[in-house]
Amino acid sequence: MFFASDNAGPVHPQIMDRLSAANADYAMPYGKDPIMDEVRDSIRTAFEAPEAAVYLVATGTAANVLALACYTQPWQTIFCAKPAHINEDECNAPEFYSGAAKLTVIDTDDKMTPAALRAAIEKQTPGNVHGAQRGPVSITQVTERGSVHSLEELHALTAVAKEFDLPVHLDGARFANAMVALGCTAAEMTWKSGVDVVSFGGTKNGCMGVEAVVFFDPAKAWEFELRRKRGAHLFSKHRFLSAQMAGYMQDDLWITSAEQANANAAYLAEGLRKAGAEFLHEPQANMIFARWPRAVHRKMHEAGAKYYLWNGPLDGDENELVAARLVCDWSASREGIDAFLSHF
Amino acid sequence: MFFASDNAGPVHPQIMDRLSAANADYAMPYGKDPIMDEVRDSIRTAFEAPEAAVYLVATGTAANVLALACYTQPWQTIFCAKPAHINEDECNAPEFYSGAAKLTVIDTDDKMTPAALRAAIEKQTPGNVHGAQRGPVSITQVTERGSVHSLEELHALTAVAKEFDLPVHLDGARFANAMVALGCTAAEMTWKSGVDVVSFGGTKNGCMGVEAVVFFDPAKAWEFELRRKRGAHLFSKHRFLSAQMAGYMQDDLWITSAEQANANAAYLAEGLRKAGAEFLHEPQANMIFARWPRAVHRKMHEAGAKYYLWNGPLDGDENELVAARLVCDWSASREGIDAFLSHF
Amino acid sequence: MFFASDNAGPVHPQIMDRLSAANADYAMPYGKDPIMDEVRDSIRTAFEAPEAAVYLVATGTAANVLALACYTQPWQTIFCAKPAHINEDECNAPEFYSGAAKLTVIDTDDKMTPAALRAAIEKQTPGNVHGAQRGPVSITQVTERGSVHSLEELHALTAVAKEFDLPVHLDGARFANAMVALGCTAAEMTWKSGVDVVSFGGTKNGCMGVEAVVFFDPAKAWEFELRRKRGAHLFSKHRFLSAQMAGYMQDDLWITSAEQANANAAYLAEGLRKAGAEFLHEPQANMIFARWPRAVHRKMHEAGAKYYLWNGPLDGDENELVAARLVCDWSASREGIDAFLSHF
Amino acid sequence: MFFASDNAGPVHPQIMDRLSAANADYAMPYGKDPIMDEVRDSIRTAFEAPEAAVYLVATGTAANVLALACYTQPWQTIFCAKPAHINEDECNAPEFYSGAAKLTVIDTDDKMTPAALRAAIEKQTPGNVHGAQRGPVSITQVTERGSVHSLEELHALTAVAKEFDLPVHLDGARFANAMVALGCTAAEMTWKSGVDVVSFGGTKNGCMGVEAVVFFDPAKAWEFELRRKRGAHLFSKHRFLSAQMAGYMQDDLWITSAEQANANAAYLAEGLRKAGAEFLHEPQANMIFARWPRAVHRKMHEAGAKYYLWNGPLDGDENELVAARLVCDWSASREGIDAFLSHF
């Protein structure tokens, strides 16, 4: 009954096995390990991007802010939706890594619209030395509210960015969950949709702590390496990042694991729906935002369920509907879900 | 025959076991895992510092620069020896994390002397708004040249710092190797010697990628947490950092592992000495700087030995003495050392 | 017919005279000149703040960002209204000087309401390491839209800040214009209203290029001096900043000059009203936002009038109402205003 | 008897006149004033550089750090001599403006030698992600010790920089004094000698507070404008910077003023020599470093003379030789110098 986050579950056994296998003898440090060669190849293949520059870091915030920093000048502004992780959950790391650039936050509960993005960009007049200059656009897929941009929606947003010659970053902390939900390829959801650099998440989908940064244009490769080292994110025993990512890519674990997570969430959503819960958004990947009476929340919490109440305390009117955020990872068991639902 | 660095060896089985054991079920993310409670207790006990604030990060550079940033204002200068890791091997990360402070580099081949430190501090006149202001003193133990400050030497350096009311940071990437070499306690080598904050290394001594930052005065705790998050160094699946450090502290593995590494280096040094190598410094912990004829280096490299040539290329006069840096970790085998020595 | 900005007018003769008078012999550099003693005294007297720390810089942006930086940690967010100069007109200087802090922009066309400020502050949960931490509140007086906060409005905003223990900065680029409009004292509009530090503008009100930063609590004095030097804003021939500010304070020129500017704007507004212009806001100090037919704008521009069209180009439907921003300084002549109005 | 610094003297009347003349009517702000066009033309002519990008700021530190920031990445290191203003007198402003780059300080009492510069550059191995990367070379002319690089010396230093493809910055706070001492042209001392960007000083040579930054390759122009604004160094009433610089360039005042300053220093040096002073360096421009008995220093100080004791207090052994730094500007009078010398 743990639905607090997909960042709190166990590591997939296939990845643990790769870690053990990597733990033999010596390996060259700092990314020169041979497993990294395997990783680079498998990610390039997965993204149909034979020239892509591929790097590993240990946290999703590191992936986001290092990727963005390569495309942001300190006098620019990054365009993103209000709930974006880079805006609400990274304690000014994007500002820190970009050398004190600004975020222009597009006011929305979930996705940006192309019109709102265009309006925000147009407001920053080019050639006006007084205002922040236009910088990259960052899109989150799966969004922080659990919804998934369709390929059309992605295209529409990146088309606006391209019209103004702005680079596009995709925060893919839940990349595989979105891809599986859309039934598309990694290429379609990135460079074929106008994305220049992606934070390709592993941690939330069965890894221990690894994310890839994939640049479709390798021109930024050396700058990234310098920024990663300067940010203290270059691992000496890098092979253990490589091994995780190798295990994640091996036999499409990244895909099957996301399928399992999404299926778990769908099963949970179906149960909630039957029990009468109201959905804030229709769940599309592995996150659910729904509300039901406070009295039921109390029973669930007393029984040890873990999840976030989204807009209200546990104390108050018994009958009031209180929203919850529930996240499933690959490891959530049907028994746990059933036990949780039994409290309705 | 791998002596390139102690950051390229395998993880100790006891630590791998703790990682596996930690991989059950869910654990609260971001350092709220119960294993972190065990870690905090064991480090406080090891350092005889029941109030210490203890945090984990994944790289030695992160430990150094986050620790220093908590004690450095952007208009200050950090005092350190020229070969310090923070000066030569961190690609401006100390400058980045401190908000663009300066490093005042004390010109030395290895250790700072108290007199040189004092001269450097005195040169920065207090109240002179034009110059950098005096900031923390950072000491490396084991030094980057493989030598170990005696407790008297440490005291003498920190006494200078204290005289000017400056905080002291200890870069202990090889903390246990130094402690074992001195035969002292962790407390004696830190707060009893005037150290305020220590980077307590794990990675080079048998861990996968974990370092602790230990503040003897917990006043900086919350600032550290914010700096760590803002630097993108807070792990969501933090229990896997905790598990490494728990395994490292368990049954004094950190000590026995360092004893093994130092003993391996002593064995290697003894063999080199018998073979006629000249030592640049007398080896004290697990690093050796010595020179012997280039022709021998060539044979060793052809046989697959891995180590750094310190001051010259592999090509050149056969008889010229060329220096090498050799580092042993806990896992170096006597067979490997013997095989290496057989090339003399 | 120049109403583009109060930053484009001439320097008042009284200030030019002080510059000439200061230009004799030698004076100690870097703020040690005796004229600075006069300035400090006169500003402390004007603000009824005998302990205040008083410093001079040459630009309004420097005053704002250096003042704010003294109250902002890099992991905090500064709360301000959307049109604030620090948000829209300083090219990320606040982010730069604060070490990469964030601005939380309160969505409004002009003033923040206390409720909106409270909501923005409350959204940043204390103790949540993932989000930006709560930082200072910055209020602009006169606002960038030409309106003036009443003392009650100022109190209401600072009361919210104080409730959360947040410091308050006042961007007073047009400080005197607001004070004269309110008919209050400098103390009433600052520390008696809960303001901790003020950017006290001189440049727009008859100086050449000087602004004072006034800290009512002198605890930040030395930090400010270091930040000013590090920002490259400490003048060697500082006496020429001092002389300007001395001339500005002398015989209440700062007040009479603002009275003149406000009276000029009132005269212009009266003429515009009679001519049929519509006001976006009721003008309160020396700025006017009003609209009238495009055909009239064209005539004015052809006749050489200088001012900003606020929301539309000069080309288009002749009868459409187009808004303009008009600013008067102390030097605007009635003849110029009459000439301008004659084009209606 | 004021020889403390050339930054403490009066403004030349020709420049005051230009300030008064500029103070009529309105002028477009932020560098769009027509006087700036005159300035740009006159500096381009003086430097025989018709394409140069020319900008004005108010302080020498601003000129240095903004110029350098345009050529420095945050992971690079700037090479300079130990006594350089950017190293010793700018309170970490170069680090701040470059986004936390490092300074590699070449240990010398005065000028760098080409060999020392080369050694420092070579120590930073290209492609080594752990160390700082090679960045610009900054040369000070006149040096902080009052000596002047010959054109051959300049060439030799810039040739080393060029060999490694590194840009060259010239800190010309006393540019005209050096040029006059060498009897060369501005072009010969800059782009013809391999300099890419120069801080062209005005303040110390008769201006109130203005320095030009001259880029011989205009590719950095827009970046400079953004960095200047973001650094809060863009003046709204910019015409008063322009007017100073226009007055400075007019009728070669910058040259005649420097000739006067150098001649004053030569006259003073001659007097000192006759009185028996020992020179630390042979004076070449407008600065003198010399020593004489402490008893004489005391008499001079008692008589009101102002200058810096260079290496010792005023109190101590009467007969000990104590060094002094003496600086003359254009306005130093022969009477003052004679009065000063009379105390020997």
Side-chain angles (χ1 to χ4, degrees):
Chain A
M1 298 201 299
F2 192 101
F3 308 109
S5 179
D6 40 5
N7 68 19
V11 178
H12 194 280
Q14 177 167 314
I15 291 167
M16 292 301 282
D17 288 349
R18 289 297 302 254
L19 282 173
S20 293
N23 194 35
D25 212 351
Y26 297 88
M28 288 304 286
Y30 300 119
K32 308 276 196 237
D33 55 285
I35 312 177
M36 187 60 206
D37 297 331
E38 174 191 341
V39 166
R40 199 178 295 108
D41 286 347
S42 61
I43 288 183
R44 285 173 169 173
T45 301
F47 282 84
E48 303 166 48
E51 306 293 326
V54 178
Y55 294 105
L56 301 182
V57 291
T59 72
T61 296
N64 283 341
V65 299
L66 286 166
L68 277 167
C70 288
Y71 285 107
T72 312
Q73 295 292 338
W75 42 84
Q76 291 181 340
T77 187
I78 299 164
F79 298 94
C80 67
K82 192 170 191 176
H85 203 265
I86 60 169
N87 183 42
E88 298 203 329
D89 297 299
E90 301 187 351
C91 194
N92 298 0
E95 289 87 351
F96 179 39
Y97 275 83
S98 63
K102 189 192 281 291
L103 268 61
T104 293
V105 173
I106 290 156
D107 196 13
T108 167
D109 286 337
D110 191 2
K111 298 176 188 170
M112 296 187 269
T113 63
L117 175 59
R118 172 187 301 278
I121 295 172
E122 285 180 343
K123 200 162 178 311
Q124 300 306 124
T125 322
N128 169 24
V129 83
H130 304 282
Q133 306 300 300
R134 295 163 177 174
V137 174
S138 180
I139 305 171
T140 310
Q141 175 83 322
V142 179
T143 73
E144 297 293 322
R145 296 297 173 264
S147 59
V148 178
H149 295 83
S150 69
L151 292 185
E152 291 68 31
E153 285 174 323
L154 273 184
H155 267 289
L157 288 170
T158 65
V160 174
K162 295 307 168 199
E163 186 184 328
F164 294 98
D165 261 332
L166 304 179
V168 177
H169 165 251
L170 192 77
D171 176 354
R174 296 184 179 93
F175 186 92
N177 302 89
M179 196 184 85
V180 159
L182 291 179
C184 68
T185 66
E188 284 169 349
M189 208 168 83
T190 55
W191 62 270
K192 289 187 177 175
S193 286
V195 170
D196 296 292
V197 61
V198 60
S199 304
F200 175 64
T203 311
K204 290 183 197 298
N205 195 25
C207 296
M208 182 177 277
V210 71
E211 315 275 313
V213 176
V214 184
F215 291 93
F216 298 108
D217 175 353
K220 298 286 187 184
W222 180 232
E223 178 177 337
F224 182 90
E225 293 197 42
L226 291 162
R227 288 190 179 276
R228 178 175 59 172
K229 174 65 195 175
R230 173 178 172 259
H233 286 288
L234 177 59
F235 271 50
S236 56
K237 295 188 176 173
H238 185 280
R239 61 171 140 171
F240 298 106
L241 291 185
S242 305
Q244 289 181 63
M245 188 52 76
Y248 186 57
M249 299 308 292
Q250 180 186 324
D251 300 334
D252 286 342
L253 176 61
W254 62 296
I255 297 176
T256 54
S257 187
E259 286 169 343
Q260 189 60 46
N262 288 10
N264 290 339
Y267 181 81
L268 171 57
E270 178 65 14
L272 289 170
R273 195 183 311 273
K274 281 185 187 152
E278 288 179 12
F279 290 84
L280 278 66
H281 314 275
E282 195 55 28
Q284 291 179 273
N286 65 326
M287 299 173 84
I288 295 166
F289 291 77
R291 68 185 137 214
W292 57 82
R294 180 174 277 119
V296 178
H297 283 299
R298 277 222 202 109
K299 278 199 289 177
M300 288 163 163
H301 274 77
E302 279 157 19
K306 299 282 185 206
Y307 60 92
Y308 286 104
L309 290 187
W310 197 244
N311 61 358
L314 204 54
D315 292 325
D317 174 4
E318 292 257 313
N319 299 313
E320 194 185 359
L321 297 182
V322 176
R325 187 191 84 161
L326 302 149
V327 194
C328 293
D329 77 346
W330 65 278
S331 75
S333 72
R334 297 292 158 108
E335 294 70 28
I337 296 173
D338 288 338
F340 178 76
L341 291 169
S342 73
H343 294 289
F344 258 100
Chain B
M1 298 202 300
F2 192 102
F3 308 109
S5 179
D6 41 4
N7 67 19
V11 178
H12 194 281
Q14 177 167 314
I15 290 167
M16 291 302 280
D17 289 348
R18 288 298 302 254
L19 282 173
S20 293
N23 194 34
D25 212 350
Y26 296 88
M28 288 305 286
Y30 300 119
K32 309 278 196 233
D33 56 284
I35 312 176
M36 186 60 206
D37 297 331
E38 175 191 341
V39 166
R40 199 178 295 108
D41 285 347
S42 60
I43 289 184
R44 285 173 170 174
T45 301
F47 281 84
E48 303 166 50
E51 307 292 325
V54 178
Y55 294 105
L56 302 181
V57 292
T59 72
T61 297
N64 284 341
V65 299
L66 286 167
L68 277 167
C70 288
Y71 284 107
T72 312
Q73 295 292 337
W75 42 83
Q76 292 181 340
T77 187
I78 299 165
F79 299 93
C80 67
K82 192 168 190 178
H85 202 265
I86 61 168
N87 183 42
E88 298 203 330
D89 298 299
E90 301 189 350
C91 193
N92 298 1
E95 288 86 351
F96 180 38
Y97 275 82
S98 64
K102 188 191 282 290
L103 267 62
T104 293
V105 173
I106 290 155
D107 196 13
T108 167
D109 286 338
D110 190 1
K111 297 176 190 172
M112 297 185 270
T113 64
L117 175 59
R118 173 188 301 280
I121 295 172
E122 285 180 343
K123 197 160 180 312
Q124 300 305 123
T125 322
N128 170 22
V129 83
H130 303 282
Q133 306 300 299
R134 296 164 177 173
V137 174
S138 180
I139 305 170
T140 309
Q141 174 85 320
V142 181
T143 74
E144 297 294 322
R145 297 297 173 263
S147 60
V148 178
H149 296 83
S150 70
L151 292 184
E152 292 66 32
E153 286 174 321
L154 273 184
H155 268 290
L157 288 169
T158 65
V160 173
K162 296 306 169 200
E163 187 184 329
F164 294 97
D165 261 334
L166 303 179
V168 177
H169 165 251
L170 191 78
D171 176 353
R174 296 184 178 93
F175 186 93
N177 303 89
M179 196 183 86
V180 159
L182 292 180
C184 69
T185 66
E188 285 168 350
M189 208 168 83
T190 54
W191 62 270
K192 289 185 177 175
S193 286
V195 170
D196 297 292
V197 63
V198 60
S199 304
F200 175 64
T203 311
K204 289 184 198 298
N205 195 24
C207 295
M208 182 178 278
V210 72
E211 314 276 312
V213 177
V214 184
F215 292 93
F216 298 109
D217 174 354
K220 298 285 187 187
W222 179 232
E223 178 177 336
F224 182 89
E225 293 196 42
L226 291 162
R227 287 190 180 276
R228 178 175 59 171
K229 173 65 194 174
R230 173 177 172 259
H233 286 287
L234 176 58
F235 271 49
S236 56
K237 294 187 176 173
H238 184 281
R239 62 170 140 170
F240 298 107
L241 291 184
S242 305
Q244 290 180 62
M245 188 52 75
Y248 186 57
M249 300 308 291
Q250 182 186 323
D251 300 333
D252 287 341
L253 175 61
W254 62 294
I255 297 176
T256 54
S257 186
E259 286 170 342
Q260 189 59 46
N262 288 10
N264 291 340
Y267 181 81
L268 171 57
E270 179 63 15
L272 289 169
R273 195 182 312 271
K274 283 185 189 153
E278 289 178 13
F279 290 82
L280 277 66
H281 316 274
E282 195 55 29
Q284 291 179 273
N286 65 327
M287 298 174 84
I288 296 164
F289 291 77
R291 66 185 140 215
W292 55 84
R294 181 175 276 118
V296 178
H297 284 298
R298 276 220 204 109
K299 277 200 288 177
M300 288 164 165
H301 274 77
E302 278 157 18
K306 300 281 184 205
Y307 60 93
Y308 286 104
L309 290 187
W310 199 244
N311 60 359
L314 205 53
D315 293 326
D317 174 3
E318 292 258 316
N319 299 316
E320 194 184 359
L321 297 183
V322 176
R325 188 191 83 161
L326 302 150
V327 194
C328 293
D329 77 347
W330 65 278
S331 75
S333 72
R334 297 292 158 108
E335 294 71 27
I337 296 173
D338 289 338
F340 178 77
L341 291 169
S342 72
H343 295 289
F344 258 100
Chain C
M1 299 200 300
F2 192 100
F3 307 110
S5 179
D6 40 4
N7 67 19
V11 178
H12 194 281
Q14 178 167 313
I15 291 166
M16 292 300 282
D17 288 348
R18 288 299 302 254
L19 283 173
S20 293
N23 194 35
D25 212 350
Y26 296 88
M28 289 303 287
Y30 300 120
K32 309 275 196 239
D33 55 284
I35 312 177
M36 186 60 205
D37 297 330
E38 174 191 341
V39 165
R40 199 177 297 106
D41 286 348
S42 61
I43 288 184
R44 285 173 170 174
T45 302
F47 282 84
E48 302 166 48
E51 307 293 326
V54 178
Y55 294 106
L56 301 182
V57 292
T59 71
T61 296
N64 283 341
V65 299
L66 286 166
L68 277 167
C70 288
Y71 285 107
T72 312
Q73 295 292 337
W75 42 83
Q76 291 181 341
T77 187
I78 299 165
F79 298 94
C80 68
K82 192 169 189 176
H85 203 265
I86 60 169
N87 183 43
E88 298 203 328
D89 298 299
E90 301 187 352
C91 194
N92 298 0
E95 288 87 351
F96 179 39
Y97 275 82
S98 63
K102 189 192 281 291
L103 267 61
T104 294
V105 174
I106 290 157
D107 196 13
T108 168
D109 287 337
D110 190 3
K111 297 177 189 170
M112 296 187 270
T113 64
L117 174 58
R118 172 188 300 280
I121 295 172
E122 285 180 342
K123 198 161 178 312
Q124 301 305 124
T125 321
N128 168 24
V129 83
H130 303 282
Q133 307 300 300
R134 295 163 176 173
V137 174
S138 181
I139 305 170
T140 310
Q141 175 84 320
V142 179
T143 73
E144 296 294 321
R145 297 297 173 266
S147 59
V148 178
H149 295 83
S150 69
L151 292 185
E152 291 69 30
E153 286 173 323
L154 273 184
H155 268 289
L157 288 170
T158 65
V160 173
K162 295 306 168 200
E163 186 184 329
F164 294 97
D165 262 333
L166 304 179
V168 177
H169 164 252
L170 192 77
D171 176 353
R174 296 184 178 94
F175 186 92
N177 303 88
M179 196 184 85
V180 159
L182 291 179
C184 69
T185 67
E188 285 168 349
M189 208 168 84
T190 55
W191 61 270
K192 289 187 176 173
S193 286
V195 170
D196 296 291
V197 62
V198 60
S199 304
F200 175 63
T203 311
K204 290 182 197 297
N205 195 25
C207 295
M208 182 178 277
V210 71
E211 315 275 312
V213 176
V214 184
F215 292 93
F216 298 109
D217 174 354
K220 299 285 187 186
W222 180 233
E223 177 176 336
F224 182 89
E225 293 196 43
L226 291 162
R227 287 189 179 276
R228 179 176 58 173
K229 173 65 194 174
R230 174 178 172 258
H233 286 287
L234 176 59
F235 271 49
S236 56
K237 295 188 177 172
H238 184 281
R239 62 172 140 169
F240 298 106
L241 291 185
S242 305
Q244 289 182 62
M245 188 52 76
Y248 187 57
M249 300 308 291
Q250 181 187 323
D251 300 333
D252 287 341
L253 176 62
W254 62 295
I255 297 176
T256 54
S257 186
E259 285 169 344
Q260 188 60 45
N262 288 10
N264 290 340
Y267 181 81
L268 171 56
E270 179 65 14
L272 289 170
R273 196 183 312 271
K274 282 186 189 152
E278 288 178 13
F279 290 82
L280 278 65
H281 315 276
E282 195 57 26
Q284 292 179 273
N286 65 327
M287 299 173 85
I288 296 165
F289 290 77
R291 69 186 137 215
W292 57 83
R294 180 173 277 118
V296 178
H297 284 298
R298 277 222 202 109
K299 278 199 288 177
M300 288 162 163
H301 274 78
E302 279 157 19
K306 299 282 185 204
Y307 59 93
Y308 286 104
L309 289 187
W310 197 243
N311 61 358
L314 204 55
D315 293 325
D317 174 5
E318 291 258 312
N319 299 313
E320 195 185 359
L321 297 183
V322 176
R325 187 191 84 160
L326 302 150
V327 194
C328 292
D329 76 346
W330 66 278
S331 76
S333 71
R334 297 293 157 106
E335 294 70 27
I337 296 172
D338 289 337
F340 179 76
L341 291 168
S342 72
H343 295 288
F344 258 101
Chain D
M1 298 200 300
F2 192 102
F3 308 108
S5 180
D6 40 5
N7 67 20
V11 178
H12 195 280
Q14 178 168 314
I15 290 167
M16 291 302 281
D17 288 348
R18 289 298 301 252
L19 283 173
S20 294
N23 194 34
D25 212 349
Y26 296 88
M28 287 305 285
Y30 301 119
K32 309 276 195 236
D33 55 284
I35 312 176
M36 186 60 206
D37 296 331
E38 174 192 342
V39 166
R40 199 178 295 109
D41 285 347
S42 61
I43 288 184
R44 285 173 169 172
T45 301
F47 281 84
E48 303 166 49
E51 306 293 325
V54 178
Y55 294 106
L56 302 181
V57 292
T59 72
T61 296
N64 283 341
V65 299
L66 286 167
L68 278 167
C70 288
Y71 284 106
T72 312
Q73 295 292 338
W75 42 84
Q76 292 181 340
T77 188
I78 299 164
F79 299 94
C80 67
K82 192 168 190 178
H85 202 264
I86 60 168
N87 183 43
E88 299 204 329
D89 297 299
E90 300 188 351
C91 193
N92 298 1
E95 289 86 350
F96 179 38
Y97 275 82
S98 63
K102 189 192 282 290
L103 266 61
T104 293
V105 173
I106 290 156
D107 197 13
T108 167
D109 286 337
D110 190 1
K111 297 177 189 170
M112 297 185 270
T113 64
L117 174 60
R118 173 188 301 280
I121 295 172
E122 285 180 342
K123 199 162 179 310
Q124 301 304 124
T125 323
N128 169 23
V129 82
H130 303 282
Q133 306 300 300
R134 296 164 177 172
V137 174
S138 181
I139 305 169
T140 310
Q141 175 84 320
V142 180
T143 74
E144 297 293 323
R145 296 296 172 266
S147 59
V148 178
H149 296 83
S150 70
L151 292 184
E152 291 68 31
E153 286 173 321
L154 273 184
H155 268 289
L157 288 169
T158 65
V160 173
K162 296 306 169 199
E163 186 183 328
F164 294 97
D165 260 334
L166 304 179
V168 177
H169 165 250
L170 191 78
D171 176 354
R174 295 183 178 93
F175 186 92
N177 303 89
M179 197 184 86
V180 159
L182 292 180
C184 69
T185 67
E188 284 168 349
M189 207 168 83
T190 54
W191 62 269
K192 289 186 177 175
S193 286
V195 170
D196 296 291
V197 61
V198 60
S199 304
F200 175 64
T203 312
K204 290 183 198 298
N205 194 25
C207 295
M208 182 178 278
V210 72
E211 314 276 312
V213 177
V214 184
F215 292 93
F216 298 108
D217 174 354
K220 298 285 187 185
W222 179 232
E223 177 176 336
F224 182 89
E225 294 197 40
L226 290 162
R227 287 189 180 276
R228 179 176 58 172
K229 173 64 195 175
R230 173 177 173 259
H233 287 286
L234 177 58
F235 271 49
S236 56
K237 295 187 176 173
H238 184 280
R239 62 170 140 168
F240 298 106
L241 292 184
S242 306
Q244 290 181 62
M245 188 53 76
Y248 187 57
M249 300 307 293
Q250 181 186 323
D251 299 334
D252 287 341
L253 175 62
W254 62 294
I255 297 176
T256 55
S257 186
E259 286 170 343
Q260 188 59 46
N262 288 10
N264 290 340
Y267 181 81
L268 171 56
E270 179 64 13
L272 289 170
R273 195 183 314 270
K274 282 185 189 154
E278 289 179 11
F279 290 82
L280 279 65
H281 316 275
E282 195 56 29
Q284 292 179 272
N286 65 326
M287 299 173 84
I288 296 165
F289 290 77
R291 67 186 139 216
W292 56 84
R294 180 174 276 118
V296 179
H297 284 298
R298 279 224 200 106
K299 278 199 288 176
M300 288 163 163
H301 274 77
E302 279 157 19
K306 300 281 185 205
Y307 59 93
Y308 286 104
L309 290 187
W310 198 243
N311 61 358
L314 205 53
D315 292 325
D317 173 3
E318 293 257 315
N319 299 315
E320 194 185 0
L321 297 183
V322 177
R325 187 192 83 161
L326 302 150
V327 194
C328 293
D329 77 348
W330 65 277
S331 74
S333 71
R334 297 291 158 109
E335 294 71 26
I337 296 173
D338 289 337
F340 178 77
L341 292 169
S342 72
H343 295 289
F344 258 103

